[in-house]
Every structure is written in structure tokens, then in C-alpha cells.
Amino acid sequence: MWYNVDMYIRTIQRKNKDGSVVRYIQLAHNQWDPQARCAKAKVLFNFGREEEVDREALKRLVKSINRFLGPGETLRYEAETGAAPLKFITSRPLGGAWVLDRLWEELGIKGVLETLLKKRQYKTPVERAIFAMAANRALDPMSKRGVEEWVKEDAVIPGVEEIPLQQLYRAMDFLLENEAELQKQVYYSVANLLNLEVDILYFDTTSTYFEIEDEDEDGGLRRRGHSKDHRPDLPQAVIGLAVTRDGIPVRCWVWPGNTADISVVEQVKKDLIGWKLGRVITVLDRGFNSEDNLRCLQRAGGHYIAGEKLRSGKENTVQALKRGGRYQTVRDNLEVKEIVVGNGEARERYILVRNPEEAARDKARREKIIKELEEQLPHIKTHAKAVCELMAHPVYGRYLKLDSRSLPKIDRAKIREEEKLDGKYLLRTSDDTLSAEDVALGYKQLLLVEDAFRTLKSRLELRPVYHRLEDRIRSHVLLCWLALLLIRIAENRTGQTWCSLRATLQRMQLGEFSGTAGQVRQRTETTPAQKQIFKALAVKEPPLLFSINPTAKKNA
């Protein structure tokens, strides 16, 4: 015979002839009856009639069993079965930090930091502090003072319960001290793990402002300059970002706010030379295409894809736009035409790209502008301030010229010239091995850098920056870069935006309960959407029971 070893207390009742009911308490377990082919209850012990049972004796029996099992097993049983009431103490989001920590370790960031920390004698969890600050940027951006309370009260950071503010600042200092080596080693680790294609790097800059009025003196970081945040009234810093064709940020830079875009390319090229990237083709926007910058990029065998301004008036640009030839249709609704200007060493290779959908939009926008001008111009009778403003207008002035009376009129020849540029942009490249399609699609991917900047400024709340010390500002940018690296990996693997991933993961909560035998921390059940994310990221789900802290025995 086979017996089920699960024992239980059961209550049976018997009805007397006078109609009264008597209830009995028994200790039983199920026993398999092979003849009946079913399980039948077998009474192991009869405690007697319900009203006569010695309840205190039963309590002593339970305590005896608890002593035999130990408080940890008892508490686990209570948590899993609800056998005893548990007080609900608190609940904190778990899923987001858990996933980021697993990616942090998988990408080798934890290992790189621990290797760098071996040279120092820190007694505080510096690596955990850096992770906590990076995770905070991705999950709930706040000041470093806020991070101290967030770790202690509002988040579950694996491996640490709390991190004092001074330890956070100390970790930021360590991060900056090892900035170059950290970024290099993290790049190697990430590139090897993800098998990144790094033959093409996209580079661009943005600016981020500070909530102060005065600039830094003596060449400090916070300076006024061309603000891409449309805040020319505030000091700023310039931030550069290099991104792979998959949108993975591999390097970041910080320069003073008055640094011009054209002056940073040489440093970017120099910083990446030692990374052993092989054949690197750097993709640059039109603001970086000075001849000096392009020559700099070609040193040490490098190449470039650079945007050219269609209305620059440069001789080669004008010739490229005049050349005839058929367009070739490629992916992403693009048409491309290859053009070579010049001969021998002076030759320049251009790719003229046309987007039919964008061409239709350009035409519609221009027709709307012309219609507005046709309605306004008849009302202008004399040369006045309004004429000057209209001629200098960045949108309307493009389609106007002055007549013999010095009054504005629509320039039809200019409209015909503009029609020829609808939906087009011109690219220049130094690499003859790239197809026209690869050049066009490569430049289009420059949008990945712009998207990375939007993520830094919005979801990770890079700006405004409240740090005063320059070193802390630079370290703050590094933390944002680490956070961006993590969420880009998550987005690429799942095909979902970080906003969606974060919302789903943060619904996984870790609850803390208190019972008679101690305290237990148990998470909520994994939802189907969360299971899908864990599977896509190849991340193991966190344990259901996180920790059990039994109450200490008396007189132990």
C-alpha cells in the first residue's frame, strides 16, 4: 500500500436519535485503497468530542512541533499557506531594480567596477552605490539626497539596505576618477557580450543647463553658449555621445558650455583610437562637416559620412545638386543617387537622398506659406518696419524679394529652386567601399543619437543639473550614461519602450510581513507580461520568498 504522509485535523459529526448532533475531533491522513482505487481517510488518533477536547494540550503539541522544525520553517509555512495571520508592514517596487541589476552584472559593469575597486581600500559598498544611483535615474530620477531615502524606504536594491549620502558622493568621486578606464572596459565587455557591430559610430552633441545665473570663472564647466535647450539665459555644459548602429551608447563626453561643435571632433577621435575598433566610419551631422574635422576623422585610417548643407553655396555642393542621373530605390522609403565631383585625389563622393513622403510634406508646407504671403502682401503699401521684419523672417523671407518700389513680392524663381530640394538631403563620404544604400541608411540612423539625447533629458532627467562642483557634474553625466546603456539593452531585447517596461516591472512588489515566528519578505506573483519581459531579457525571476528572519528563541 501507498500512504499519503500529509496529516491533518478533521471534524466529523454524528446525529443522535433525539436529533442532537455530536462533533468529534480526529487526527487523520489519507490512505490509498487499491481495491476501491481511491484514497480513504485513516484515523490516527481520536481527540474525543469537540467540547471535551483539551485545546491547551493541542497548543502545546503545536509548539512542540514548531521547536522540532525550527522558527524558520514555521515562518515559511505561515507565509506560503497563510496558516497564521501575518501583519502587512510595507511594500516596495522590486521588478525594475531586479532587472537592471541582472543586466548590470551580465554586461560586466559590476565586474569592471569591482576590479577597479581592488586597488582601493574602501570599506563601503561603492559598486552598489553607483548601481543605486544609475538605477534611480532609470526608475525614479531624483537628487542624490533623495536617492539616500529612496534606497532606504522606496526601492529594493539587491545587496544593500541603505546608503548614506556621503557614501553616494564618495562613489561619484570614484566613478569620475576612473572615467576613461571604466568607459573603455565597459565598452569591451558589452561589445564582446552582445557582439556589437562597431564599424559605424554616430556622434552628436547637445547641451544641458544649470539653474544658476552666473557663469563659472577661470574656464569652468558652466558657461553660456549656443543652447540647444532654448535657454540662452542660463549657463550650460555641452554633452557628446557616441552610439552604435543598434543605438547602444558606448562613450560620453562633457565640455564647457561655450564649446563649439566643430572643436570637439579631434578629441572624440583621439579618445576612440585606443579602443581597437578596427575600421571606424563616423557619422556626423551637418554642424560638424568642416574640412578640418573631416581631415581629422580620416587620420589613422578612419572614414566619415557627413551631412552637407543644401543651401551652403559651396562649389562642390552646387555641382552635386546639378548632376543628372536616375535614383535607385532602397529601404525605408528612400531613393538614392551617387555623384562624384572632381578627379584624382581631389574627387569627392556624394550621395543625394530623396524621401518621397518628406517631399510631399515639404511641398504642402511651402504651399501653405505662399498662400499666407499672398493674403498678407496686398495690405503692405509702404516701406516700413513691417517690410523689414517680413524680409528677415526665417520662414517667409526665403520666398520674397523687393520690387522696384522696395516692397516685398513673391520670388517665383526662388520657389522653383526650392521645389528641386523637396525631400532631399546631401551626404558626403570618404569611404568608397560603402554602397549608396549603406551611406543613406547609415546617416538616417543618426536619429538614434537624437533619441538618446531625448531619453537623457526626459526619462532620465539629466536636466536641470543642480550640482555645483564640476567633478560632481561630470559624474552625474556618467551615471546618466550608465542608466541609458541599461535601458537601451532592455529596449533592444524586448522591442518595448522603457516607459512601458518600467511600468510593468514596477508592479512587481516586495512585501514585508510580520508573524508570530518572525518576519518574512515575499514578492507578488509574476504576471504574464512580466514573464514575457524576463524571458526576452534572459533574466531569471526573483525568488518568491526573499528573506525570512525568525524571532530569536528565548533563553537561547
Side-chain angles (χ1 to χ4, degrees), residues 32-43:
W32 180 257
D33 186 339
Q35 295 182 351
R37 301 183 64 82
C38 65
K40 294 184 177 181
K42 179 179 180 180
V43 177

Side-chain angles (χ1 to χ4, degrees), residues 261-263 265-266 269 280 282-308 314 316-317 348-350 427-431 443:
D261 283 346
I262 60 174
S263 65
V265 172
E266 188 167 0
K269 180 68 176 178
V280 176
T282 306
V283 184
L284 302 172
D285 203 354
R286 289 170 295 184
F288 295 94
N289 67 348
S290 70
E291 295 300 320
D292 289 340
N293 280 344
L294 298 182
R295 281 195 296 270
C296 175
L297 289 172
Q298 286 184 274
R299 295 172 190 164
H303 288 282
Y304 62 81
I305 298 173
E308 287 282 347
K314 293 169 58 176
N316 282 2
T317 301
E348 295 289 351
R349 186 183 182 215
Y350 293 90
L427 306 177
R428 177 181 172 187
T429 180
S430 63
D431 194 318
Y443 186 79

